[in-house]
Amino acid sequence: MRKMKKVMALGCLVLLVTANVCGCGMQAQAMEQSEEEKNLEELQNAVEEFAGSSDIVRHSSTAGKEETVYAILDADGNPVETIVSEWLKNQEGSEDLSDVTELKDIFVVKGDSEYTTDGGNKITWQTGGSDVYYQGTTAKELPVKVSIQYELDGNKVEASDLEGASGHLKMTFSYENNTAKEVTVAGEKCIIYQPFVMLSGLILDNEKATNVRVENGNAVNNGDSTMVFGIAMPGLKESLGISDLKNDDGEKIDIDIPENVVIEADITDFSLLMTLTVASNSALEELGLEDIDSIDDLKADMDELTNGMNDIIDGTTRLDDGMGELSGGTGELSDGVNKLSDGTVELAEGAHKLSEGAAQVNDGAVALKNGLASLKQGTPALAAGIGSLLSGADELSAGLQTIISNNDTLNNGAALVSDGLNALNASLNNAEAQTQLQTLLQGSTDFATGLSSAADGLSQITAGYNYNEGDIANLITGLSAYAEALNASGDPNNMAMAGYIQIMIGTYQGLYDNVVSAAGGVSTLNGQYAGINNGINAAAGNMGTVSNAVGQLAVGAGQLKEGVAGYTAGVSQAASGVNTLDEGLNSLNSQVPSLVGGIDQLVSGANTLASGTQELSSGASTLAGGADELNNGTGELKNGVSSLLNGVAELLDGTGELKDGVIKFNEEGIKKLADLVNEDLEKYYDRLCALKDYAREYSSFAGCEEGTECSVKFIYKTDSIGD
């Protein structure tokens, strides 16, 4: 399993090469970018000079030579230029290193190393204690030729014909292994090739290529682009001698060892940045086959390879199953995102309604604040008015008490007047009238005196009535207006106070009615007093009509007596009402500070409410804006999930194809190879050994000094198609 993981890791190499394509392109085109190269060299020289002035170690901890060959091809795979980068490792930090190279146009790409040559391939580097990095060119034939054939809708075309083309594209990467060598294996001559593994890759824009399929490879779709890579091992089948293999029945056994890579896609307005192919002959080393020293080792390795393939099949099966679950999960995710999108639409609508309602609440809070401020301004005048009213009520109460104290005298005087007039009337009708005339005159004088006293009392009552009637009416009007203001505020405390004031208004209304009644009595008394005065004057002026006048006076005196009784009763009721009014005013006056304090609290609360509703309105507006952004974001998320669904569906198809391909590779390749190893092991063991030895011989393309451990890899880069 460990060795199979190494093989799978080799498949990742093309991704690393693709990720570093810019760097490779700069090295490959170094000869053409002279001005940029000069600037780069100046920068590198400055770095090297700085590093040389310190004790920093600038050489590797191992010895050897690593070689990277960049083959620059046109879009059809025809060679354009071959550039080789060399890394000469200076393990000991020596000042001089010897080297062998076939390169031309050599220049240092890093550091300030210089070299001398003996006129041939041998050169000596003055290193300054550092590793040596240099580059050169060669016209030497590449070990493997890479070519690309294009077909558009089934017709062969050149790469130049594909720029902006649309249709069904088929690209075939072909590999011609030029490293054939004749060897003798088990007494028979045979041809073997360097065991190069060719890994070709490219990136397709998903807007320009769809339905991508790969033969002997795989395609990975990341949503925006599709990374395609394939693997081939040209010449390996012939090297192992299994090209014309037959079973015991004489039937040809086909062992599937890929020798080309085929990529197909539906294209629109096609363009291609480049293709990259990585070639390495270290496959046997990666598999650990260079350590095979016996047939038993080979069998063990083939068993491990078979077990590893079984593990890979299990893994791809689980991957395919997992992708199925992922596909189901993304479907649920899509449903959830759709619900989320609907919810954010409702949220945005609700947020806008909340914003509008908050603005209205804020307007109401501001109006309440202003109204309470006006109410607060009127509380000093209210307090002063209640104080004045309380003072007037006290004066009214005192005046009524004075009147009440004279009620008995008034009643008695009225009774005396009535009795006297009745007696006078009787006397006038008596034979002794003349005798009693003097008595009448005297009674008339007494009556006039009592009448004068009654008139004075009535004047006082009338003055007190006029004063209190006006104040009570004004008080009732003021209290009614204030109660309406308290009810309009909407505050429970104010509304309770308004109810209390309404009760007081009822009490004051009763007092008002009593005062009105007393006023009516006073008016009646005045009229009656006028009649009595007229009667007395008439009696005094014309005694001849005394009898008639006295009769009339007697009747008026009786009415006066009854009126005085009604009046005194009304005065008592008025006094009781005034006392009640006085108590109510005292209670109301005691509540004024609490009322003022409550209004202050209401004003403060209204200010806080107005400020809070302003913040609420601002926050609701911000919420509405955020809800709009959230709605837009969920819309983008919804589109992204839709793309994810499509990508997962394509990936699911890819994992299914990978699973089928791995099973096919195992059935047609690994299993058959394992059967061959186990059934005819002796025959192929010698070929594997010869192939292993040949691979060890090829460690450098441009030259390697004897005794130096060298390694080489090849990178083929084709030109772009279109933009």
Side-chain angles (χ1 to χ4, degrees), residues 395-406:
E395 294 178 1
L396 175 62
S397 177
L400 288 175
Q401 291 301 323
T402 301
I403 294 173
I404 290 172
S405 66
N406 293 321

Side-chain angles (χ1 to χ4, degrees), residues 390 500 504 508 578-588:
L390 182 61
Y500 178 74
M504 294 185 63
Y508 300 154
V578 168
N579 289 334
T580 303
L581 172 63
D582 189 58
E583 292 175 359
L585 288 174
N586 283 318
S587 177
L588 178 61

Side-chain angles (χ1 to χ4, degrees), residues 505-540:
I505 289 173
T507 301
Y508 300 154
Q509 186 66 49
L511 177 60
Y512 177 81
D513 294 340
N514 290 333
V515 172
V516 170
S517 176
V522 170
S523 178
T524 301
L525 286 175
N526 283 328
Q528 290 172 345
Y529 282 148
I532 291 171
N533 284 325
N534 292 333
I536 292 173
N537 291 330

